[in-house]
Amino acid sequence: MTWLITGGAGYIGAHVVHALRAAGERAVVYDDLSTGVAARVPSGVELVVGSTLDRALLDRTLAAHAITGIVHLAAKKQVGESVEQPLRYYRENVEGLRVLLEAVTAAGVHSFVFSSSAAVYGMPSTAREGGLVTEDTPCVPMSPYGETKLAGEWLVRATGRATGLRTASLRYFNVAGAASPELADTGVLNIVPMVFERLTAGEAPRIFGDDYATPDGTCVRDYIHVADLAEAHVAAAQRLAGAAAGTDLTLNIGRGVGVSVREMIDLINEETGYDRAPLVTPRRPGDPDQVVASADRIATELGWTAKRDVREMVRSAWAGWTASSTAVRK
Ligand SMILES: NC(=O)c1ccc[n+]([C@@H]2O[C@H](COP(=O)([O-])OP(=O)(O)OC[C@H]3O[C@@H](n4cnc5c(N)ncnc54)[C@H](O)[C@@H]3O)[C@@H](O)[C@H]2O)c1
């Protein structure tokens, strides 16, 4: 198969490109470089610079490279920004996907892997599932970003039903770490880089609320190493390549292990050699107490489980942070 990785110059997409190549698959990257970095695309992999809204360029690219599978990661991903600019998020994430699916259908592409997110669950009510979020937990997204991901799953699934396209929607939990320093996340949007930024600026890391219904009172999340996540994409892609027409998978990608914000900050202090006590500030609106994946379905369907722990995520992210500390951050 030859895979087109949209968003392949981004943080996660670049890891997916490397993992697909390591597994012997052919890869082409399609990215508008709005947040991506061309240098993340490995040599020997062609980078087509363009938007998923550009149907003519998509048609030419699918034909020129005889693309048989898509891994679609290209999207805007900031929850807060999506609240301020919902129409931009719907255009890039939903309209961009709709145009891509039209091109994919016209070109007779075989398989489609879609980047979804745990944001589709919103504030999950998991009492019946023993505290874990399963793929059957009701989806009630709480932001336009989460809505665009859920709508994206609908588009992908409906297209598969109508055309036989084999599809997988992968719901990522909290992604962290780097497979190598040059592939590290350059944004400061998630807890690990946010804590790095505070520590290196000589400031105390912040905890937004310590009165949640969790063991230490701080929010609990399920962190997944980006290299494990990339390997899950390879497993999904290879499964779809041999699957019957219309196959449709919806899978959580997490470890099934909860880590609290306080535990994460303690670990970051330990790994970076800082010793700053966190500062507790008021809760942020809309943060659920606990969001931890049930990772059973992906283990059964793909035989995939995460191999790397939180310490490895922090250690590898820190190596990336220190290596790029003089570089301009996006
Ligand atoms: N990082 C996370 O924690 C996380 C969690 C859940 C889901 N996701 C999803 O994973 C995907 C990748 O996220 P990331 O963290 O690597 O973000 P990122 O911003 O690093 O990567 C997104 C890439 O897509 C490109 N892009 C954006 N809009 C485009 C468009 N219309 N056409 C072509 N290219 C476009 C950007 O230039 C960038 O290279 C996104 O779909 C995101 O919603 C990320």
Side-chain angles (χ1 to χ4, degrees), residues 24-135:
E25 303 282 344
R26 285 187 299 277
V28 176
V29 169
Y30 189 95
D31 197 300
D32 69 2
L33 301 181
S34 52
T35 55
V37 180
R40 285 205 184 109
V41 178
S43 63
V45 173
E46 186 168 334
L47 165 64
V48 179
V49 179
S51 167
T52 51
L53 291 156
D54 186 342
R55 173 69 195 274
L57 182 60
L58 284 170
D59 286 345
R60 285 201 301 279
T61 306
L62 296 178
H65 296 280
I67 299 295
T68 44
I70 310 281
V71 183
H72 177 53
L73 300 109
K76 302 287 162 238
K77 62 162 186 179
Q78 294 186 44
V79 172
E81 191 178 70
S82 79
V83 174
E84 288 153 20
Q85 303 174 36
L87 299 180
R88 178 169 170 234
Y89 271 67
Y90 272 87
R91 186 184 68 231
E92 298 287 335
N93 295 6
V94 180
E95 177 62 6
L97 171 57
R98 192 193 65 75
V99 173
L100 174 62
L101 284 169
E102 273 186 358
V104 157
T105 305
V109 167
H110 183 278
S111 300
F112 195 98
V113 179
F114 173 58
S115 276
S116 187
S117 165
V120 298
Y121 296 113
M123 288 261 208
S125 153
T126 54
R128 272 185 302 149
E129 291 91 353
L132 297 180
V133 181
T134 76
E135 290 82 352

Side-chain angles (χ1 to χ4, degrees), residues 109-114 153 156-169 235-251 301-302:
V109 167
H110 183 278
S111 300
F112 195 98
V113 179
F114 173 58
E153 290 190 7
V156 167
R157 206 169 295 132
T159 305
R161 265 192 223 119
T163 67
L165 184 67
R166 290 95 174 141
T167 68
S169 291
Q238 293 183 336
R239 164 72 195 282
L240 291 184
T247 295
D248 156 33
L249 303 172
T250 302
L251 302 169
E301 287 284 351
L302 303 183

Side-chain angles (χ1 to χ4, degrees), residues 266-324:
D266 287 349
L267 184 60
I268 294 173
N269 263 320
E270 217 178 291
E271 281 298 319
T272 59
Y274 284 84
D275 190 16
R276 287 297 294 245
L279 179 72
V280 178
T281 60
R283 288 179 175 208
R284 291 184 304 196
D287 274 341
D289 294 358
Q290 169 167 320
V291 186
V292 180
S294 160
D296 292 348
R297 189 186 286 182
I298 191 166
T300 309
E301 287 284 351
L302 303 183
W304 173 93
T305 48
K307 297 195 213 89
R308 298 155 178 95
D309 65 8
V310 197
R311 187 173 294 278
E312 205 167 333
M313 293 177 218
V314 171
R315 199 170 282 170
S316 61
W318 181 241
W321 180 274
T322 49
S324 69

